[in-house]
Amino acid sequence: MSLLSVEEALQRILARANPLQRTERVSLQECLGRVLSENVAAKLTHPPFDNSAMDGYAVRHEDIAEVGAELSVIGQSAAGHRFRGEVKGGEAVRIFTGAPVPAGADTVIIQEDTEKLPDGRIRTLFAPAKGRHIRLAGQDFLAGDVALSAGSALDAGRLTLAAGMNHQDLPVFSRTKVAIIATGDELLPPGSTLGPDQIIASNSFGIAAVARENGAEVLDLGIVGDDRTAIASAVAKAQAAQVDVLVTLGGASVGDHDLVQSTLLGCGMTLDFWRIAMRPGKPLMVGDLDGVTVLGLPGNPVSSLVCALLFLEPLTRKLSHLPPRSRLVDARLAATLPANDRRQDYIRARLTLEADGSLVAHPFPRQDSSMVSVFAQSDGLIVRRPGAPEAASGEACRVFRLRDPA
């Protein structure tokens, strides 16, 4: 089987992915990052009454048309405690921000534009336009207005709006369920005392983070040894949990100790492809197991993280109804890079921001895919196309952005 390009691999993965139609109602406190499955209409009108946008005095505009008007203060209106009377000619009501505008008043003159007289009256120092500093009832939305549309991703602003529309919970699409299985006799969980030939299993934590950051619910099925029966048992648990995506870590190649691919084939998986023309991350396996998308990521930590960002992230976002995330940005190289071979390179780099707002990419001198510490320090991955010629320092480049530069 020939190596697929990154673009073709991603296209084939997304072509099989249909956004999930499962829905549920979730409390506002749990809605951040979720996607609305239905239009949401306001249950009330907001503001529910004309109210003041400033501290000042509620007046009749005809009484203050000329600077120097003198008015008697007959009471006050505060938020939650309205003035019950009516403003008549020559009168004013002390009013505070958010308070209901009393009957008869049609304008608010701010306190800075008045002066108090010794007898308790006020004199105007400015003539505001009619209606000034009054928020009219319903100027934000009316009861029954559809203010949030199906397909909207819920962020801070939209959640604030939903709460203001008097909703306690919202109809959203269910999260994509992603199961993760780490494989390898050599693996032990963090906190273990290592024996001879053993290493700590770290991949699943990063892969789970990628999935969760992109709207998924994660089922971590732990570490499974290089044993067909144990792998098949873990796969059966994922199927029983009705997951949408099954991610395996390690063992997806075809070596004597790589049992994941053959075990999954024995479980009924249809293999789509399993090698990509990229570095790091060549041995990526993709298949379908009774409607579950299978992503077999490399066991190497950096390779698995790069593959997760390139393939698991867009897959999860599509299934979860989230818009694609754009990570590619333009930058300039801070060092010369050699000509590339037939694989697409993702070179770990630190990014700096110039005074003019442009980005400069500083590739790390060591790019061994076993060095997770370098990945953790990286702000982006310089993308080098297959067959790209040598690129000199200062040349333009494309960067797959991981985080904002420090």
Side-chain angles (χ1 to χ4, degrees):
M1 184 180 292
S2 60
L3 300 183
L4 285 181
S5 68
V6 172
E7 291 78 7
E8 184 179 354
L10 180 58
Q11 183 180 20
R12 285 167 68 162
I13 290 171
L14 295 182
R16 68 168 68 246
N18 294 314
L20 303 175
Q21 298 306 309
R22 300 190 305 267
T23 62
E24 57 187 321
R25 294 197 73 89
V26 176
S27 69
L28 287 185
Q29 291 87 345
E30 303 299 323
C31 275
L32 181 63
R34 305 295 289 271
V35 176
L36 282 175
S37 59
E38 302 172 17
N39 292 340
V40 175
K43 293 183 175 181
L44 46 70
T45 292
H46 182 74
F49 45 77
D50 294 353
N51 70 89
S52 179
M54 302 288 286
D55 290 350
Y57 296 89
V59 299
R60 301 191 320 163
H61 185 263
E62 61 190 271
D63 290 338
I64 61 162
E66 300 292 335
V67 173
E70 296 182 1
L71 305 171
S72 299
V73 179
I74 62 171
Q76 74 171 28
S77 184
H81 304 279
R82 70 169 60 232
F83 177 76
R84 298 292 177 181
E86 180 181 353
V87 177
K88 297 178 181 178
E91 296 178 341
V93 168
R94 182 77 166 103
I95 196 165
F96 300 93
T97 303
V101 176
D106 58 13
T107 303
V108 170
I109 183 168
I110 62 174
Q111 61 189 29
E112 295 93 329
D113 291 336
T114 66
E115 63 176 353
K116 289 185 178 180
L117 300 176
D119 60 3
R121 294 184 300 158
I122 60 167
R123 178 185 292 125
T124 64
L125 305 176
F126 178 74
K130 185 176 182 179
R132 185 69 171 150
H133 303 307
I134 291 181
R135 302 178 179 127
L136 297 177
Q139 73 174 32
D140 195 359
F141 51 80
L142 300 174
D145 283 352
V146 175
L148 291 171
S149 301
S152 300
L154 294 166
D155 56 14
R158 288 167 175 165
L159 286 173
T160 301
L161 175 57
M165 294 193 300
N166 206 23
H167 288 275
Q168 294 177 297
D169 52 42
L170 294 172
V172 295
F173 289 105
S174 299
R175 294 188 186 277
T176 302
K177 294 183 180 180
V178 176
I180 300 175
I181 303 172
T183 66
D185 288 340
E186 75 280 14
L187 300 178
L188 288 177
S192 300
T193 300
L194 296 181
D197 307 321
Q198 292 182 312
I199 61 173
I200 294 296
S202 59
N203 298 21
S204 57
F205 297 92
I207 304 310
V210 171
R212 290 191 179 106
E213 285 176 355
N214 292 283
E217 172 188 334
V218 174
L219 172 63
D220 189 343
L221 292 172
I223 300 168
V224 177
D226 294 319
D227 176 83
R228 295 183 193 279
T229 301
I231 295 170
S233 176
V235 170
K237 290 179 182 178
Q239 290 179 293
Q242 298 183 314
V243 302
D244 306 296
V245 180
L246 171 60
V247 177
T248 62
L249 303 175
S253 192
V254 291
D256 291 344
H257 298 282
D258 296 319
L259 306 179
V260 173
Q261 184 178 138
S262 59
T263 301
L264 281 164
L265 288 171
C267 292
M269 181 188 75
T270 301
L271 179 66
D272 189 348
F273 59 87
W274 69 275
R275 292 193 300 172
I276 311 271
M278 62 180 287
R279 183 176 34 242
K282 175 184 173 183
L284 175 79
M285 177 186 68
V286 175
D288 180 271
L289 180 60
D290 296 328
V292 176
T293 299
V294 178
L295 291 183
L297 304 186
N300 182 288
V302 173
S303 299
S304 66
L305 281 169
V306 172
C307 287
L309 289 167
L310 289 174
F311 304 113
L312 178 60
E313 177 174 279
L315 170 63
T316 302
R317 294 186 74 83
K318 182 175 181 182
L319 291 173
S320 300
H321 297 259
L322 292 168
R325 188 174 181 181
S326 177
R327 288 184 178 267
L328 288 174
V329 295
D330 294 317
R332 289 185 293 107
L333 289 172
T336 298
L337 295 177
N340 202 13
D341 60 15
R342 294 180 297 171
R343 286 197 276 169
Q344 184 152 302
D345 268 350
Y346 291 87
I347 299 170
R348 283 160 282 172
R350 181 173 55 88
L351 299 179
T352 57
L353 192 64
E354 298 290 276
D356 63 0
S358 63
L359 289 173
V360 178
H362 306 258
F364 284 93
R366 297 186 65 183
Q367 292 289 324
D368 189 292
S369 57
S370 67
M371 298 178 66
V372 186
S373 60
V374 175
F375 187 94
Q377 297 174 58
S378 299
D379 304 309
L381 305 171
I382 300 170
V383 183
R384 296 278 286 153
R385 302 288 297 176
E390 178 180 282
S393 177
E395 284 190 24
C397 65
R398 294 286 274 167
V399 173
F400 185 90
R401 197 162 183 166
L402 300 175
R403 63 176 67 88
D404 292 335

